[in-house]
Structures are given as structure tokens and as C-alpha cells.
Amino acid sequence: KERSAETLYVVGGLYGNLAALSEIERMAAEEDLPTTIVFNGDFNFFNADSDDFMQVNETIREKYVATAGNIEMEISSESKGSGGD
């Protein structure tokens, strides 16, 4: 799907950091032009707490564009082995 943006933030490796997510949203809100935020994967990992995990995923899926990174692919995989299996 083709998209366009006035201001584009590409965020990689959020790794479940809610403080960083909040800061990214704050920065985008201060832009003069409408801002599109794209998460290019790996927005989970250090958020071992299930509430944090849900908050990160719900926020990103409801508000932003995202692609799956290695971590999201591993989480969604039916395989229970490591990425090298």
C-alpha cells in the first residue's frame, strides 16, 4: 500500500521501552506538519511484563504503521524453537 507523509518518523528497535514511546509521541506532536510514525519492527523484547507488552502492541497497532521485526516474527511463529531451528 502506497502512503505519503508530510513528516515521517521511522522508529526501529523500540524493544518495549514505554518511556521512549512516550517521547516519540511527544516529539511528533510538536511538529509543525502532520506526522506519520512507522515502526520498522522489534518494538517488543525488554517489556517482559505482560501489561507493558499489551500497551506497546495496542498503541502501535491502533495508532501507527508497523512492520514485523525478528522479535515479532518469533513471537508469532508456531515454532517453539530458536530463530535458527
Side-chain angles (χ1 to χ4, degrees), residues 34-79:
T35 304
T36 300
I37 302 174
V38 177
F39 289 84
N40 70 349
D42 296 338
F43 41 90
N44 290 293
F45 190 63
F46 295 117
N47 51 338
D49 177 271
S50 62
D51 290 338
D52 289 354
F53 180 87
M54 292 301 293
Q55 184 177 353
V56 166
N57 284 281
E58 288 174 1
T59 299
I60 291 172
R61 288 187 176 141
E62 290 174 9
K63 297 169 69 175
Y64 305 113
V65 177
T67 62
N70 296 332
I71 294 165
E72 287 76 31
M73 294 300 292
E74 192 65 29
I75 289 169
S76 68
S77 173
E78 290 185 11
S79 169

